[in-house]
């Protein structure tokens, strides 16, 4: 066995070991907590349709909370929801941002509207399909004093289209990485922290002028040496359309590169090693290298299939499995697409999000224009 094949085997072994580690540490019976004083912050766009499915899922949560919807002030569906639901739902009208992300602008307004009894803050996105245990699982480490910031992570449900499934496969590489508290970046789609931590971070100030709430809160938490804890069984379903799927992937990495070049470099070097390894395996490695690569990829797909079954609902599992086929049929394409998104992300500081073009430098919005 030559040295190149040995390195290739080690590289594939490490990636497989990472997925196995995630599966092995997946909670079987996740414990929940349901304390008083929980408020959920939900930012919605003006064209939000009211999210009937989302609201039904939020009502089914095992933990009680008050829903605080943040809008720019022109969301008819949010206004109708508040009128219909009564005290359970409240609204904050933030106005239009001029020097920061519109989502961040709305979340800051929501933070300023907190009530004295709000002790636990839960952040969610409007495009997720949360399980009934979501809030309770996020709160458990906080109530037990095991974490300062708790987070889940997205698991994309691609529509039946090759492009969406490919982006879903790239995202699944990230979703099933081993997670350690010292290397966890929170995801704003399912995140929780205590009021005390929010005040310690001066969260309103930490978010001021920013575009990405995830990166702003995560980097502030790292700087303050807080305990960030991932909840492994909270891989939260998030539908993905084929149109704009590649742009979605590039945007996620552009948030990273415009906030932390070091984090982007580490991630890109890891993916580059895999991508170049596949170039060697296909071009010069021969059948042995291809067998190793495809064998590891197929095994990862089988393990991820078990992970999906453990964290998603049956209908969601069927959609998420579309991405697994890429690992079985063309695992090299997943690595090359992943690297392509990372490199494209580094080519510009402009991020188009929610109908607005933002130019970002060191995490701060330096210019913004509404897309005509």
């Amino acid at each position: 066995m030559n040295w190149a094949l040995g390195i290739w085997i080690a590289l594939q072994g490490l990636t497989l070991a990472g997925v196995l580690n995630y599966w092995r540490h997946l909670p079987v019976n996740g414990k929940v907590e349901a304390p008083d004083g929980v408020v959920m912050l939900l930012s919605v766009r003006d064209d939000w349709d009211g999210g009937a499915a989302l609201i039904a899922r939020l009502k089914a949560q095992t933990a009680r909370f008050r829903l605080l919807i943040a809008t720019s002030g022109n969301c008819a569906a949010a206004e109708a929801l508040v009128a219909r639901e009564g005290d359970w739902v409240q609204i904050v009208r933030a106005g239009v941002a001029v020097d920061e992300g519109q989502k961040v602008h709305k979340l800051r307004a929501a933070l300023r509207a907190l009530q004295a009894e709000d002790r636990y803050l839960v952040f969610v996105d409007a495009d997720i399909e949360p399980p009934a245990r979501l809030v309770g699982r996020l709160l458990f480490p906080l109530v037990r004093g095991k974490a300062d910031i708790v987070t889940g992570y997205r698991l994309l449900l691609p529509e039946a289209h090759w492009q969406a499934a490919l982006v879903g496969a790239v995202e699944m590489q990230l979703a099933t990485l081993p997670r350690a508290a010292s290397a966890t970046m929170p995801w704003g789609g399912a995140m929780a922290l205590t009021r005390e931590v929010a005040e310690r971070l001066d969260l309103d100030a930490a978010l001021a002028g920013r575009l990405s709430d995830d990166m702003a809160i995560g980097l502030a938490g790292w700087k303050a040496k807080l305990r960030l804890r991932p909840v492994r069984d909270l891989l939260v379903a998030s539908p993905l359309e084929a149109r704009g799927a590649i742009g979605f992937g590039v945007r996620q990495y552009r948030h990273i590169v415009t906030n932390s070049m070091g984090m982007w470099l580490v991630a890109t070097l890891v993916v580059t090693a895999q991508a170049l390894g596949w170039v060697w395996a296909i071009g010069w490695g021969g059948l042995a290298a291809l067998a190793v690569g495809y064998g590891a990829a197929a095994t990862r797909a089988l393990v991820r299939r078990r992970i999906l079954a453990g964290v998603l609902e049956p209908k969601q599992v069927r959609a998420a499995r579309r991405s697994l086929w890429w690992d079985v049929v063309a695992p090299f394409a997943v690595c090359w697409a992943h690297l392509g998104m990372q490199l494209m992300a580094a080519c510009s500081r402009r991020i188009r999000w929610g109908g607005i073009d933002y130019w970002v430098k060191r995490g701060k919005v330096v210019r913004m224009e509404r897309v005509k």
Side-chain angles (χ1 to χ4, degrees):
M1 181 176 67
N2 60 47
W3 63 270
L5 182 58
I7 293 175
W8 179 239
I9 291 173
L11 192 60
Q12 292 303 308
L14 283 172
T15 61
L16 177 56
V19 179
L20 284 168
N21 176 276
Y22 195 101
W23 176 49
R24 180 172 174 267
H25 291 92
L26 200 64
V28 178
N29 296 307
K31 297 179 180 179
V32 299
E33 285 284 359
D36 294 329
V38 181
V39 60
M40 177 181 288
L41 281 62
L42 172 65
S43 170
V44 299
R45 294 171 53 174
D46 288 344
D47 59 357
W48 186 53
D49 63 0
L54 173 64
I55 297 302
R57 286 178 173 274
L58 295 183
K59 286 183 175 181
Q61 293 294 307
T62 57
R64 296 176 58 190
F65 58 90
R66 179 172 63 91
L67 180 61
L68 186 57
I69 300 180
T71 78
S72 65
N74 295 298
C75 181
E79 300 285 351
L81 180 65
V82 172
R84 185 172 65 249
E85 295 292 340
D87 292 341
W88 177 66
V89 183
Q90 296 175 343
I91 192 168
V92 174
R93 303 167 187 86
V96 178
V98 295
D99 58 358
E100 60 190 358
Q102 186 61 38
K103 179 184 179 183
V104 162
H105 186 68
K106 289 180 284 193
L107 289 177
R108 291 183 66 206
L111 288 171
R112 293 192 291 269
L114 293 177
Q115 299 176 0
E117 63 269 21
D118 295 329
R119 297 189 299 129
Y120 298 95
L121 315 183
V122 177
F123 297 78
V124 297
D125 281 346
D127 60 351
I128 63 172
E129 297 180 3
R133 68 184 186 280
L134 176 83
V135 175
R137 289 291 288 133
L138 287 173
L139 292 173
F140 176 78
L142 296 179
V143 174
R144 298 296 179 94
K146 298 185 177 188
D148 298 307
I149 301 176
V150 182
T151 183
Y153 194 74
R154 77 172 67 84
L155 207 156
L156 296 178
L157 306 183
E159 67 173 336
H161 188 282
W162 69 268
Q163 194 174 76
L166 177 59
V167 175
V170 169
E171 186 71 11
M172 199 175 294
Q173 289 184 334
L174 302 172
T176 54
L177 279 173
R179 305 204 181 281
S182 60
T184 293
M185 180 60 63
W187 172 53
M191 176 178 63
L193 63 159
T194 64
R195 178 76 169 272
E196 180 183 354
V197 167
E199 292 174 351
R200 176 180 171 186
L201 292 177
D202 193 359
L203 206 53
D204 183 36
L207 289 169
R210 302 281 178 172
L211 178 59
S212 170
D213 54 314
D214 317 58
M215 295 295 299
I217 295 173
L219 291 174
W222 283 6
K223 185 177 180 180
K225 301 187 184 305
L226 298 184
R227 297 167 298 164
L228 279 71
R229 178 164 177 167
V231 181
R232 289 172 179 259
D233 60 312
L234 280 185
L235 293 178
V236 185
S238 181
L240 178 69
E241 296 180 353
R243 191 180 72 169
I246 297 295
F248 166 82
V250 173
R251 186 173 71 239
Q252 304 314 305
Y253 270 109
R254 195 160 290 169
H255 281 307
I256 295 175
V257 77
T258 54
N259 278 271
S260 175
M261 179 61 74
M263 190 184 304
W264 176 85
L265 279 172
V266 170
T268 302
L269 285 173
V270 171
V271 177
T272 298
Q274 283 282 348
L276 293 180
W278 273 111
V279 171
W280 169 82
I282 293 172
W284 299 276
L287 291 177
L290 289 175
V292 169
Y294 268 87
T299 306
R300 287 195 300 268
L302 288 174
V303 177
R304 285 173 176 147
R305 184 184 174 99
R306 297 292 297 271
I307 293 173
L308 296 181
V311 301
L312 297 179
E313 300 164 8
K315 185 178 179 181
Q316 296 171 342
V317 170
R318 289 192 291 272
R321 281 178 181 171
R322 292 172 183 144
S323 296
L324 295 180
W325 285 106
W326 275 103
D327 252 343
V328 174
V329 177
F332 53 88
V334 180
C335 291
W336 294 346
H338 196 161
L339 179 60
M341 292 177 194
Q342 291 173 321
L343 297 178
M344 289 171 65
C347 292
S348 174
R349 293 186 294 110
R350 180 175 65 87
I351 299 175
R352 178 167 293 183
W353 193 12
I356 302 175
D357 280 339
Y358 300 94
W359 283 260
V360 183
K361 184 176 182 181
R362 295 179 181 175
K364 292 274 192 174
V365 174
V366 295
R367 175 185 164 198
M368 54 188 290
E369 294 179 2
R370 187 164 296 279
V371 179
K372 296 181 181 179

